[in-house]
Amino acid sequence: MITRRSWKPMAVLSLVTALALAGCAVKPSYEASLIRDADRGSVRDCEFVVSVSGSSGVGNMMASTGIENAKVEAREQAADSGATHIVWTSVQGGYAPNVAGSAYNCD
């Protein structure tokens, strides 16, 4: 049974855990944040720039964070190459999340 006295340490522990897990997410650069997701049809008239990929060591129960981190790595590659859009060709979660995609310039 949770008593009035015992809930405070659990609340503090929960808060610290949540903050620590939130710190595992990678923040993209401004340029990478401008890269837009696309499908093959929407990049039909765009110029292919480069194949990109990313991976993350954050996986398992935090696979969604790991996938987002891997996408940030791929977006950074796309931005560095002058792309504006990415078509994701592979997105895998699990213990070692990784992604692959084709980057295009649609400007």
Side-chain angles (χ1 to χ4, degrees):
M1 182 168 122
I2 297 177
T3 65
R4 190 172 218 171
R5 176 176 256 171
S6 68
W7 74 268
K8 288 181 182 179
M10 289 187 343
V12 170
L13 179 61
S14 296
L15 178 62
V16 169
T17 301
L19 291 173
L21 293 177
C24 294
V26 176
K27 183 173 166 84
S29 67
Y30 173 74
E31 294 79 8
S33 70
L34 297 177
I35 302 295
R36 294 180 290 282
D37 291 349
D39 58 37
R40 293 227 182 266
S42 63
V43 296
R44 181 179 24 247
D45 297 325
C46 302
E47 175 188 2
F48 172 78
V49 178
V50 66
S51 293
V52 295
S53 62
S55 61
S56 174
V58 178
N60 200 11
M61 291 179 62
M62 293 180 53
S64 61
T65 299
I67 290 169
E68 288 308 310
N69 289 352
K71 284 185 172 184
V72 167
E73 182 180 338
R75 288 181 200 283
E76 295 291 351
Q77 294 170 16
D80 290 345
S81 299
T84 58
H85 293 73
I86 290 181
V87 175
W88 299 110
T89 56
S90 174
V91 177
Q92 299 180 9
Y95 289 102
N98 61 80
V99 299
S102 299
Y104 295 84
N105 184 328
C106 298
D107 285 343

